[in-house]
Amino acid sequence: MSEIQRRVAIIGAGIAGLTQAIALKTKLKFHNFTIYEKESEVGGVWRANTYPGCSSDIEIHWYSLSSDLYPYWNASHGLQPEIQAYWIKLSKKYNLYPHIAFNTKVLSAEWDDAKQQYNIIVEDVSSGKRMSSVANVVISAVGILQVPKIPYEIPGVRKFQGTSFHSAQWPGSINLQNKRVAVIGNASSGAQFVPSISEDPSVEVVNFIRTPTWFNTRPHIPYSNTVKWIFANIPLVMRLHRTWIMLQYIAPPHLPMGDRAPQKKRDAMTKYILDNTPDRYHSHMIPDHPPGCKRTVANSGFLNSIYRSNVTLNFDGIAEIVENGIITKTGEMLLFDVIVYATGFTCESYPMHVRGLNGATVQGYYEAHGGPTAYLGTAIPDSPNFYLIIGPNTGGSTASTFTAEVQVAYVLQLIEPVLTGSASSFTVKATPTDTYNAKLQERLSRSVHVHCFSWRRTNGTGKVFHSFPWPTTVFWWLLRKPNWDHYTAVGAEKWVWARRREVVKNILKCTAVLTLLWLYISGSAQRILYDM
């Protein structure tokens, strides 16, 4: 592809950003791009989350790029170190490191409509030095799980004199031996590291749970050396294995509340939790909200760990954090050496200033629409050549790698005319964006997601901004190719004529095929009549 001085800026070197970069190189043969990464290595959440026991909730063969299957995973679900190593390996394989500006934070991107490009301001996080650059296309691959949430609403959070940190900022040098550890939160992260840190009987763990969560079984099944050899050496076996896993995720993820299926699911999950927890916790372990309203937690050892003598669950609520511990709402004072916050992430705000046409900003658009909002989770009105990977309402019961690959393939179709010089910019229109989101929110209003307080909703109780309410196959279908009528094109005369020529060519092809078919059928009919 002729790059004619066009440039792409990718924000974030996590799974989404690396997937986009690989596609630019392999699908479009385009190399004039830069990935801005505020940290010192690739991997995104898999670089950041190094807490003990960190692993994928999704089977790892499904949680891999379709173009780069890996036969040597150690188990059905990958651990953080090997997932991080996988993405480092891909970054080296596709020679992405020369394209990455590490320790560089994007502060702003502002569209210059006259020049049809973004003016980008970045900052070296080490020195504070600011630099500027330009790009014709900006692709946001920052994800939603990047800003750790500390519950400052709890009185005294800043008073604690011991060691405290968020699970996404786990200190590599921390030694918990002979320590009393408070864990605040019981969602995915907490349920993964509590079993790991409590394996040492000298570590006393108290897990404070405000809202119980639904668990399902998710055993980590080891792959033997024989299985790995088969995956590596017998054609199609690994691909078929991945396809079998995929088929389990493409069913409709959310059923209407009136169906009998949700109650059956609730009963089965209730039985699973009660069958696998000590009797003393039974009255506290079953959530009031329906399964699926919050993220279902994969039980890879947590429920078994609460049988240990050094693990205690506390449902009393936290009244205050003091210099040497926690005071519960029952008035009990508990002493701790360490507090770990497994309290999730702040997801409602866009983390940087992006300005498009007429002074419109991404964050302003979010606020005007009651929370994060986008067309197909990918494009935003008044934001030319700006695209989101893993954007609003793209979450579902599938692998985020699949979601990223679907969006990347869609984005490639939008930016190819720009990168080849056939067009200057494409901007999604407001009306189709509003129509799409109205249908999406109407469907979500009848789903389980509106029946609980959740980080997936604005301020916990407002608009559902994370989940995609239809089957995964629908998401793929909607993004298989752009509806160009939903976009405004600028400087696209060459592209328009090329499309018209393509339409005429296809019409002529169809006409030729139909003509030949008619001639064949007509000739056959005449021979039959002649034979009679």
Side-chain angles (χ1 to χ4, degrees):
M1 171 180 289
S2 173
E3 299 180 6
I4 62 169
Q5 303 305 311
R6 298 297 169 98
R7 183 170 179 269
V8 175
I10 301 172
I11 307 174
I15 286 176
L18 297 177
T19 301
Q20 181 68 68
I22 291 169
L24 283 173
K25 280 196 163 189
T26 59
K27 303 296 185 183
L28 299 187
K29 309 303 179 186
F30 185 84
H31 302 273
N32 191 22
F33 64 88
T34 300
I35 306 174
Y36 294 105
E37 171 54 53
K38 68 181 187 299
E39 302 296 340
S40 59
E41 186 53 277
V42 303
V45 295
W46 298 108
R47 177 209 53 77
N49 289 270
T50 59
Y51 59 80
C54 181
S55 69
S56 63
D57 286 348
I58 301 291
E59 285 87 343
I60 194 62
H61 278 279
W62 177 225
Y63 194 68
S64 311
L65 281 189
S66 61
S67 59
D68 287 272
L69 303 190
Y70 181 63
Y72 300 109
W73 295 112
N74 290 317
S76 57
H77 297 73
L79 293 175
Q80 179 272 333
E82 59 178 342
I83 297 176
Q84 170 72 345
Y86 171 80
W87 287 99
I88 290 174
K89 181 180 179 180
L90 290 188
S91 299
K92 293 177 179 177
K93 173 183 176 180
Y94 293 103
N95 197 30
L96 298 184
Y97 279 98
H99 295 272
I100 305 175
F102 286 114
N103 302 306
T104 303
K105 182 179 181 180
V106 175
L107 299 180
S108 66
E110 297 189 343
W111 178 252
D112 184 330
D113 199 42
K115 296 182 179 179
Q116 292 286 289
Q117 65 186 22
Y118 281 95
N119 296 316
I120 301 172
I121 304 297
V122 301
E123 179 181 79
D124 185 305
V125 298
S126 301
S127 66
K129 179 182 178 182
R130 295 190 175 185
M131 297 158 283
S132 62
S133 63
V134 297
N136 304 92
V137 175
V138 173
I139 298 171
S140 173
V142 297
I144 59 172
L145 304 179
Q146 67 153 327
V147 182
K149 181 180 180 181
I150 303 294
Y152 290 110
E153 65 272 16
I154 299 176
V157 166
R158 293 183 175 88
K159 291 182 180 179
F160 186 65
Q161 297 299 305
T163 302
S164 64
F165 52 88
H166 192 278
S167 61
Q169 299 165 328
W170 198 278
S173 60
I174 190 76
N175 182 0
L176 299 179
Q177 191 173 14
N178 298 312
K179 297 289 195 302
R180 285 181 52 85
V181 180
V183 176
I184 300 177
N186 180 234
S188 297
S189 298
Q192 287 186 346
F193 69 74
V194 165
S196 294
I197 65 174
S198 62
E199 285 181 346
D200 181 347
S202 75
V203 180
E204 187 172 345
V205 178
V206 179
N207 190 184
F208 290 88
I209 300 174
R210 180 180 62 182
T211 305
T213 189
W214 289 104
F215 288 88
N216 60 12
T217 181
R218 198 65 59 84
H220 289 201
I221 302 171
Y223 289 124
S224 67
N225 289 333
T226 300
V227 169
K228 294 176 187 178
W229 185 91
I230 291 172
F231 284 157
N233 293 281
I234 300 180
L236 295 180
V237 171
M238 181 167 55
R239 182 72 62 180
L240 290 172
H241 177 64
R242 184 179 190 271
T243 301
W244 170 249
I245 296 171
M246 178 192 72
L247 292 173
Q248 301 173 49
Y249 287 93
I250 63 174
H254 311 295
L255 295 169
M257 289 299 293
D259 290 357
R260 290 182 298 174
Q263 186 58 48
K264 291 181 178 179
K265 181 178 182 180
R266 185 184 189 117
D267 292 343
M269 295 178 76
T270 297
K271 184 177 186 303
Y272 174 74
I273 292 172
L274 297 182
D275 286 349
N276 289 278
T277 52
D279 292 346
R280 66 182 182 277
Y281 294 134
H282 281 187
S283 62
H284 299 287
M285 290 296 293
I286 306 304
D288 294 329
H289 58 268
C293 188
K294 295 175 181 281
R295 183 176 179 179
T296 300
V297 175
N299 176 36
S300 54
F302 177 79
L303 297 182
N304 288 336
S305 74
I306 63 179
Y307 282 94
R308 295 171 180 163
S309 60
N310 61 324
V311 177
T312 304
L313 304 185
N314 190 301
F315 299 90
D316 294 339
I318 299 173
E320 183 181 2
I321 296 176
V322 294
E323 289 83 354
N324 58 346
I326 292 174
I327 300 175
T328 70
K329 290 184 177 179
T330 63
E332 184 180 12
M333 171 65 189
L334 299 173
L335 300 177
F336 292 105
D337 304 296
V338 178
I339 296 178
V340 183
Y341 295 103
T343 45
F345 298 82
T346 299
C347 307
E348 298 175 18
S349 300
Y350 189 71
M352 66 202 68
H353 171 72
V354 175
R355 188 182 71 189
L357 296 169
N358 307 313
T361 66
V362 172
Q363 182 58 29
Y365 186 80
Y366 283 5
E367 293 172 356
H369 290 79
T373 305
Y375 173 74
L376 301 179
T378 307
I380 296 175
D382 291 323
S383 300
N385 293 352
F386 177 81
Y387 303 105
L388 302 155
I389 308 298
I390 315 295
N393 294 108
T394 59
S397 57
T398 189
S400 57
T401 47
F402 174 79
T403 302
E405 287 192 88
V406 169
Q407 287 188 277
V408 163
Y410 178 83
V411 169
L412 289 183
Q413 297 176 72
L414 288 163
I415 67 175
E416 184 175 18
V418 175
L419 302 183
T420 57
S422 299
S424 296
S425 65
F426 290 93
T427 309
V428 72
K429 298 174 182 177
T431 298
T433 303
D434 293 342
T435 300
Y436 167 75
N437 280 286
K439 292 179 180 177
L440 182 143
Q441 290 299 324
E442 191 280 328
R443 180 60 181 261
L444 284 169
S445 71
R446 296 184 283 114
S447 75
V448 297
H449 294 291
V450 296
H451 291 271
C452 66
F453 185 96
S454 172
W455 66 266
R456 299 173 176 181
R457 306 176 67 184
T458 304
N459 297 320
T461 57
K463 171 182 178 178
V464 180
F465 62 81
H466 175 260
S467 301
F468 183 77
W470 296 290
T472 302
T473 48
V474 174
F475 185 76
W476 168 81
W477 180 260
L478 291 173
L479 278 84
R480 73 195 187 284
K481 61 180 180 179
N483 183 334
W484 296 107
D485 292 336
H486 290 178
Y487 286 86
T488 299
V490 173
E493 292 78 11
K494 292 181 181 179
W495 175 78
V496 170
W497 278 108
R499 284 194 71 210
R500 288 175 179 172
R501 286 195 299 270
E502 190 65 26
V503 169
V504 171
K505 187 186 299 183
N506 289 335
I507 291 173
L508 291 175
K509 286 181 179 178
C510 289
T511 301
V513 169
L514 291 173
T515 300
L516 291 172
L517 184 62
W518 179 82
L519 290 172
Y520 175 79
I521 294 173
S522 177
S524 298
Q526 290 179 3
R527 283 193 298 273
I528 292 171
L529 290 173
Y530 178 80
D531 292 339
M532 294 176 61

